[in-house]
């Protein structure tokens, strides 16, 4: 195992993945849900990713936001090389990649940023690197800007603490690269699990390794569990650290977690609501949710919106479906129960968005009151049927062709870039049909031909 980056394994590159919640429109939506004004973007904006991995998210967002300036930072040379190669191949001019660690990042010649994101980093690095991340936030965030920080959270990880410690200690005793070491360690852990050793019986990861092994690739396991500083965090500790640099919590980029009726029972809402301190209230909420992973959004000098301003901003925002309309079931099962939303306004929104991304203001407000439209779009986004996107269409053909060329190879990216400022992870078979210029069969991929056509995407002409 090569541990030459503050105890972080660097011999196995991380996954080539895209994270929709890091998009500006998504982060703006989080702010609006909370009644806060998002960054002003009329004259352009700047965005930075700390710990960008293979740079897939930065490249997709830069390609679909030609009016923005994008920078991405990672200390692994292989990650930055791959990110730069994709940017060059897809002719993305407005993104820069920088191979430095977090301590050096603050001294780079960079602009101030309206959005700074750090996904899957904060609870995997030591306290010195956490301080370096906060120093970057402090020095580089524009007034009114947003910071996204995700991290493994307590108390949800308590059942897997023994698993993480065991897999890391066992792996260090084997020869080979990090992937070989983790594989050998898992062989022993599977034997222990089969023997029903008490410490591993409650482990969710052990259960999922058995049920869904395809989701736990070597690259994921190495980067998730091998860092020497791996440590799930309590929300109160993270908020206290951010408070020292003037950052206050805005909301969650896991959109459903912003709507208490979808995640807490009535009794839980009453108990949580009686706690006066906001940070303690969130801590107790995490115990109810058995929280394992938080996607927190923070702001400095956030401007509050009135109810009327918030509703108006939501009406002016653009949204898109996340799947074909025929796949939407108008109900959701959440931790707080079963929630149907088969109402006329929700159905009208889905019908309108099936024709392509649109703002609520464009979806004939006569269909429902402004408040009803806003309430239902918040619900549809929270349950994952819709998502906030950009107005207009950016050219994405060059980037998608570059992605198609990587299909079925070691550099495969399974995300299809949409012109509205985001991407969707789609079936590899559908990606191949698009790559090869083949017709999309409605029986094999129900609803997808119309869905993609609504975004101006069809089979590649190559």
């Amino acid at each position: 195992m090569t541990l030459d980056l503050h105890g972080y394994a660097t011999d196995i590159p991380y996954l080539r993945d895209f994270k929709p919640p890091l998009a500006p429109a998504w982060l703006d939506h989080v702010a609006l849900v909370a009644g806060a004004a998002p960054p002003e973007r009329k004259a352009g904006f700047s965005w930075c990713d700390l710990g960008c991995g293979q740079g897939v998210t930065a490249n997709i967002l830069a390609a679909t936001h030609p009016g923005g300036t994008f920078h991405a930072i990672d200390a692994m040379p292989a990650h930055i090389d791959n990110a730069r190669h994709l940017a060059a191949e897809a002719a993305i001019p407005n993104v820069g990649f920088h191979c430095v660690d977090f301590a050096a990042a603050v001294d780079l010649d960079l602009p101030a940023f309206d959005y700074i994101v750090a996904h899957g980093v904060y609870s995997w690095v030591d306290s010195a690197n956490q301080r370096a991340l906060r120093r970057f936030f402090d020095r580089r965030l524009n007034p009114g800007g947003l910071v996204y920080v995700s991290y493994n959270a307590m108390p949800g990880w308590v059942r897997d603490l023994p698993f993480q410690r065991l897999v890391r200690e066992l792996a260090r005793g084997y020869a080979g690269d990090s992937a070989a070491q983790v594989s050998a360690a898992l062989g022993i852990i599977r034997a222990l699990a089969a023997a029903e050793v008490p410490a591993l019986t409650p482990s969710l990861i052990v259960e999922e390794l058995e049920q869904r092994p395809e989701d736990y690739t070597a690259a994921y396991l190495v980067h998730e569990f091998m860092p020497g500083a791996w440590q799930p965090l309590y929300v109160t500790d993270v908020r206290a650290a951010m408070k020292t640099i003037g950052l206050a919590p805005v909301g969650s980029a896991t959109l459903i977690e912003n709507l208490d009726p979808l995640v807490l029972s009535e009794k839980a809402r009453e108990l949580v609501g009686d706690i006066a301190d906001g940070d303690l209230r969130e801590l107790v909420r995490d115990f109810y949710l058995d929280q394992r992973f938080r996607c927190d959004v923070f702001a400095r000098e956030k401007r509050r919106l009135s109810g009327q301003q918030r509703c108006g901003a939501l009406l002016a925002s653009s949204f898109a479906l996340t799947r074909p309309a025929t796949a939407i079931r108008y109900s959701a099962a959440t931790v707080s129960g079963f929630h149907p939303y088969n109402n006329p306004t929700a159905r009208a929104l889905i019908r309108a968005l099936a024709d392509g991304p649109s703002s609520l203001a464009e979806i004939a407000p006569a269909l429902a009151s402004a408040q009803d439209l806003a309430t239902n779009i918040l619900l549809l986004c929270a349950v994952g049927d819709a998502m906030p996107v950009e107005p207009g269409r950016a050219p994405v053909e060059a980037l998608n062709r570059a992605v198609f060329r990587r299909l079925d190879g070691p550099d495969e990216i399974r995300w299809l870039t949409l012109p509205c400022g985001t991407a969707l992870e789609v079936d590899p078979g559908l990606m191949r049909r698009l790559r090869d210029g083949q017709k999309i069969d409605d029986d094999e991929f129900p609803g997808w031909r119309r869905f993609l056509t609504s975004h101006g995407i069809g089979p590649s002409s190559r």
Side-chain angles (χ1 to χ4, degrees), residues 260 264-282 284-285 288:
D260 277 355
L264 295 178
S265 67
E266 183 177 355
K267 185 175 181 180
R269 295 198 301 273
E270 290 176 359
L271 188 149
V272 171
D274 287 340
I275 301 172
D277 184 275
D279 294 342
L280 293 179
R281 189 163 58 243
E282 193 69 11
V284 172
R285 196 170 177 272
Y288 268 115

Side-chain angles (χ1 to χ4, degrees), residues 81-261:
D81 287 346
N82 290 335
R84 287 172 175 165
H85 182 70
L86 179 59
E89 185 179 345
I92 305 171
N94 58 328
V95 63
F97 292 95
H98 311 274
C99 190
V100 296
D101 63 19
F102 298 136
V106 73
D107 295 320
L108 292 173
D109 183 16
L110 298 174
F113 294 101
D114 301 297
Y115 305 90
I116 302 175
V117 301
H119 180 80
V121 172
Y122 198 78
S123 59
W124 289 262
V125 298
D126 60 20
S127 58
N129 276 285
Q130 290 176 356
R131 287 194 298 273
L133 286 165
R134 295 195 300 272
R135 188 160 56 248
F136 190 98
F137 301 157
D138 188 30
R139 295 187 186 179
R140 295 292 185 178
L141 185 67
N142 273 328
L146 298 174
V147 171
Y148 165 104
V149 181
S150 66
Y151 52 96
N152 280 340
M154 292 291 281
W157 269 96
V158 69
R159 296 185 296 280
D160 283 301
L161 296 179
F163 168 84
Q164 188 275 336
R165 182 59 179 261
L166 184 59
V167 71
R168 186 172 188 275
E169 294 293 337
L170 287 173
R172 293 167 65 185
Y174 287 97
D177 64 14
S178 297
Q181 291 173 310
V182 168
S183 179
L186 289 179
I188 293 179
I189 289 175
R190 286 190 175 96
L192 292 172
E196 298 182 350
V197 297
L200 293 179
T201 299
S203 169
L204 295 179
I205 299 298
V206 169
E207 180 181 353
E208 291 192 343
L209 282 168
E210 178 67 25
Q211 296 177 352
R212 299 187 290 112
E214 67 280 359
D215 290 344
Y216 288 85
T217 65
Y220 172 80
L221 291 166
V222 166
H223 287 266
E224 173 62 55
F225 295 114
M226 291 301 99
W230 186 94
Q231 180 67 52
L233 303 169
Y234 286 97
V235 61
T236 43
D237 293 334
V238 175
R239 286 188 173 188
M242 297 303 166
K243 187 176 181 179
T244 64
I245 57 171
L247 292 181
V250 173
S252 175
T254 305
L255 299 181
I256 195 171
E257 293 184 3
N258 298 307
L259 303 181
D260 277 355

